[in-house]
Amino acid sequence: MIPDSAEGLSAAYASGKLSPVEATRECLARIAAWEPKLNAMYRLDRDGALAQAHAAEARWRAGAPLSPLDGVPITIKENIHTRGDPAPIGTRANQDLPPQRDDAPSAARVREAGCVILGKTTMPDYGMLSSGVSSFHGVTRNPWMLNRNPSGSSSGAGAAAAAGYAPLHLGTDIGGSVRLPATHCGIFALKPSLGRVPVHPPYMGRVVGPMTRSVADAALLMNVIARPDPRDFMSLPASQQDFAVKTANPRELKIGFLPDMGVGLAVQPEVRAAAEAAAAALAGAGCAVESIRSFLTEEMLDGMCRFFEARLHNDLAQLPAARRGKVLPFVAEWCTWRAGGFSGRDVMQAYTLVMAMREAAVAATEAYDFLLSPTSPIVAYEADLPAPGNDSHDALPHIAFTVPWNMSEQPAASVNWSWSGGGLPIGIQLIGKRFDDAGVLRLAKLVEEIRPKQRPWPRQPATA
C-alpha cells in the first residue's frame, strides 16, 4: 500500500520500496476519481507531474535526492505564482491574464526541493471570502459531505488534502484562509508568523502555510518553504531552524483557553464542547490551563472588515467596467456597499482599529506559552453559499477567532479534534507567541497524540 504521508513516502523512496512515479500515479488516480465531485483543482499537469516524478526517481536511485521531499507530490493554491500558469485569483475578471513568468518564493522552494507539482488548487474571488464559491472556478465541495463548504480562501487545498490528492498542499492566509478550510475539512494547517515563509508580493497579514493531514508533514514542508527569498521585503532573517516535530512537554506549558470571542457568529454548542474537551485533555496531560476572556471588540472586528472592504474596493475601482462586471456579484456588493462612500478618514480609522486589535491580541498571549480556542465558531456551512448566512453586508462574521493572529503576526494552527453529530470535522486552534512557529508545531503534535480516535478519511468515489 502506498503511504499517504510525505514522511512515509520519503522513507519508502530512501529504502527503495517505492518510486515517486508510483506515488504520483496513485495521486493522479485519486484526483481523477474525486475531482468530478469536488472541483478542487484549477489546473492539473499530468504529463509534467509524471516527468518530474521520473526525474526524482532517477535521483533517489543514484543516491542523490534534492531533499527528503524529493518526489513527494504537492498542490499549490492558484494565487501562489508558478511559472507558465495564469493566476486569476479566483475571479472571471482575470480570466484572460497571461501566464506568470516566475515562481513565487514558496513555489520556487518546493520546486528546488524536487516536490512533484501536480497542479493548482481553487479559491474564491480575490481570496477575500472564506468560501469555496468562485465566479471563475465554480463551487468547490467538502469531501466529508458534498453539500457542505470546504471554507476558504484555500478551499481547493483543504478539499484536496482531505480527499488525499497529495500529502502536501500550499495555501495562503490573510484572515483564516488555511485554518478555516483545515477545521472544516478535518486536516492540519499552520499559519506561520508573518515573514517566516517569504511571500511575493508581501502584504500586511498575508502568509503562505502548509496544509497537510499530519503535523509531521507540515513540519517537513516548513523546512523547505521557510528558506529565504529577497523578494519579500517583510521577511524574517534567514534561519537554519529545523521544524522537525518533537512533542511538547505538557508539564512545561501554561495555556490560556479562549472559548468564546463574544463577537461575530455565536459559537455552536458542538464546537464549544470540542474546544472544552481539548482544554481538559491538555490539562489532564499536565499542562496548566486557565480560561481567559475575549480581547476582541465589535469595533475592532468591524474595523478589520472595513479595511478589507476598502482594499478590495480600490482594486475593483481600477478595473474597466467590463471586467468589473465579471466579479462574483456577492463579492462586488460586499466591497462596495459602504466602502464606495469611505473617506480617507474612514479608512484610517479602520486601520487604527486593526492596530488596536493587534495590540490586544499580543497582550492576551503575554501571560501564556500558548492559547487554545475554536478555529471557527461553526461547522461547515452550505456548499453553494459565498459566506455563512449569505449576507453580503455581513460576510465575515466567522473570522473572529482567526483574523487577530494575522494582524498580530503570530503563528496559529488548526488541528482536527472531533466531529459533529452530523459527521462534520471540528478543529481547534493553537496560537503561539510571535516567531514561535516550532513551538506551535510541538504543541500540535501533543494534541495529535491525546485527541480522540480519528475517523477514516472520506472514501474515494468509485470510478467508471
Side-chain angles (χ1 to χ4, degrees):
M1 182 175 178
I2 294 177
D4 63 0
S5 70
E7 192 176 38
L9 287 180
S10 183
Y13 296 164
S15 67
K17 294 180 180 178
L18 187 68
S19 156
V21 175
E22 295 172 284
T24 299
R25 285 177 174 155
E26 172 66 18
C27 288
L28 291 172
R30 292 179 187 177
I31 293 171
W34 269 111
E35 191 58 10
K37 297 180 181 295
L38 292 187
N39 186 37
M41 297 298 294
Y42 159 47
R43 294 172 74 83
L44 180 63
D45 184 9
R46 294 179 180 83
D47 292 342
L50 287 169
Q52 294 170 62
H54 279 289
E57 179 183 63
R59 291 191 292 269
W60 278 105
R61 287 179 175 174
L66 295 176
S67 77
L69 294 182
D70 198 353
V72 176
I74 190 170
T75 74
I76 301 177
K77 188 177 177 180
E78 66 106 312
N79 66 335
I80 301 173
H81 294 176
T82 47
R83 66 172 181 264
D85 296 320
I89 320 181
T91 179
R92 286 181 59 238
N94 293 334
Q95 64 184 359
D96 296 323
L97 295 185
Q100 298 297 317
R101 292 183 293 178
D102 301 302
D103 285 333
S106 56
R109 298 296 85 77
V110 298
R111 202 185 295 275
E112 292 163 1
C115 293
V116 174
I117 301 174
L118 299 174
K120 308 297 290 290
T121 51
T122 59
M123 62 181 291
D125 289 54
Y126 294 97
M128 288 307 298
L129 297 179
S130 305
S131 163
V133 178
S134 159
S135 65
F136 182 72
H137 300 301
V139 176
T140 297
R141 298 181 180 275
N142 191 321
W144 290 98
M145 197 173 294
L146 294 176
N147 66 356
R148 298 289 100 179
N149 209 298
S151 197
S153 65
S154 302
S155 47
Y165 282 22
L168 303 175
H169 308 267
L170 283 179
T172 64
D173 190 315
I174 200 172
S177 293
V178 302
R179 290 159 290 158
L180 292 169
T183 187
H184 291 148
C185 294
I187 64 168
F188 176 78
L190 172 69
K191 181 206 78 67
S193 301
L194 184 78
R196 177 70 69 202
V197 176
V199 175
H200 186 256
Y203 194 84
M204 181 178 72
R206 177 188 288 155
V207 302
V208 169
M211 303 175 69
T212 59
R213 286 182 167 186
S214 71
V215 179
D217 279 1
L220 288 172
L221 188 50
M222 282 294 292
N223 278 342
V224 169
I225 62 176
R227 294 171 183 166
D229 193 295
R231 290 174 289 176
D232 185 349
F233 52 81
M234 298 172 71
S235 62
L236 300 177
S239 169
Q240 299 302 315
Q241 183 172 18
D242 183 0
F243 292 94
V245 175
K246 298 178 181 179
T247 304
N249 181 350
R251 300 193 181 278
E252 297 177 351
L253 301 181
K254 184 178 181 182
I255 297 175
F257 175 43
L258 178 59
D260 197 332
M261 273 297 190
V263 298
L265 291 180
V267 179
Q268 292 175 343
E270 288 181 304
V271 172
R272 185 177 184 118
E276 288 174 343
L282 285 168
C287 298
V289 180
E290 59 185 49
S291 295
I292 64 173
R293 294 182 178 180
S294 174
F295 58 86
L296 192 64
T297 67
E298 291 183 5
E299 292 77 14
M300 290 175 187
L301 183 58
D302 187 59
M304 184 77 261
C305 293
R306 284 185 282 135
F307 183 83
F308 280 152
E309 292 164 26
R311 175 174 173 257
L312 188 57
H313 179 264
N314 180 62
D315 290 343
L316 264 58
Q318 299 177 60
L319 297 178
R323 283 181 61 190
R324 195 161 57 244
K326 296 179 180 179
V327 175
L328 191 75
F330 184 99
V331 172
E333 173 66 13
W334 166 73
C335 73
T336 57
W337 74 277
R338 59 177 177 175
F342 283 170
S343 66
R345 183 185 179 194
D346 292 330
V347 175
M348 287 309 301
Q349 285 179 328
Y351 178 79
T352 298
L353 286 165
V354 172
M355 292 300 99
M357 178 173 66
R358 172 181 177 144
E359 181 178 13
V362 172
T365 57
E366 182 60 30
Y368 304 95
D369 297 303
F370 302 97
L371 297 188
L372 161 67
S373 77
T375 306
S376 168
I378 61 173
V379 296
Y381 58 98
E382 297 89 337
D384 58 352
L385 296 187
N390 201 30
D391 182 355
S392 60
H393 294 183
D394 185 21
L396 299 174
H398 55 304
I399 67 170
F401 282 110
T402 52
V403 73
W405 317 114
N406 292 83
M407 298 305 115
S408 68
E409 306 181 8
Q410 294 170 253
S414 181
V415 189
N416 194 65
W417 183 261
S418 59
W419 278 262
S420 70
L424 294 170
I426 302 175
I428 59 167
Q429 184 176 219
L430 307 171
I431 304 102
K433 287 185 167 64
R434 194 176 175 203
F435 312 135
D436 191 19
D437 304 77
V440 170
L441 288 168
R442 287 192 295 270
L443 178 58
K445 182 63 174 174
L446 174 62
V447 169
E448 273 190 336
E449 293 174 359
I450 66 173
R451 67 184 174 179
K453 183 179 178 180
Q454 299 293 284
R455 298 185 181 185
W457 292 101
R459 183 176 297 178
Q460 179 176 307
T463 54

